[in-house]
Amino acid sequence: MANVNIRINGFSYSVSCEDGQERHLQAMAAEIDRRVSSIKAIGEQTGEARLLVLAALLLADELHDLRATHEAMQAAKPTGVSPEHVARLRRVAARAEEIAADLAES
């Protein structure tokens, strides 16, 4: 097991991971740190635990949308994608671009 020091919101954490997964863990920590920074940028100056919960909720919301899109695509007939699926994918893509823009501004 590898031991990695990550930094989120100015705090250091020592986390173990499988050997070879260090960069992946650091990338995930950087993503969480970006989410926390974006929450703070909109005025949420609350405690550390609340910031981390809000960041986790943002990530869970994004994951939920991606899963729903994936399930809808799996259920689609092989003859093609319905207009509803195309509209849903466009909404998900637009939301992802909004999140990326918010992160870029941080």
Side-chain angles (χ1 to χ4, degrees):
M1 288 296 257
N3 199 21
V4 178
N5 289 317
I6 60 172
R7 195 161 183 84
I8 299 173
N9 194 32
F11 293 93
S12 291
Y13 301 91
S14 181
V15 182
S16 295
C17 66
E18 292 181 14
D19 290 334
Q21 294 297 311
E22 296 89 352
R23 284 184 182 226
H24 181 64
L25 179 58
Q26 290 170 335
M28 290 186 301
E31 180 64 27
I32 293 168
D33 190 51
R34 282 190 291 277
R35 302 292 175 121
V36 168
S37 295
S38 70
I39 294 166
K40 287 172 57 178
I42 59 173
E44 287 287 335
Q45 298 295 327
T46 61
E48 181 71 8
R50 181 166 169 80
L51 285 171
L52 292 174
V53 166
L54 291 172
L57 287 171
L58 287 172
L59 290 166
D61 179 53
E62 192 174 327
L63 178 61
H64 176 269
D65 289 347
L66 290 170
R67 282 184 175 159
T69 300
H70 177 72
E71 288 171 8
M73 291 177 68
Q74 293 293 331
K77 295 178 183 173
T79 57
V81 178
S82 72
E84 294 84 13
H85 290 129
V86 171
R88 174 84 173 138
L89 288 172
R90 286 187 178 139
R91 287 193 304 273
V92 169
R95 178 69 178 127
E97 289 176 7
E98 289 172 5
I99 291 169
D102 288 344
L103 293 174
E105 292 176 5
S106 299

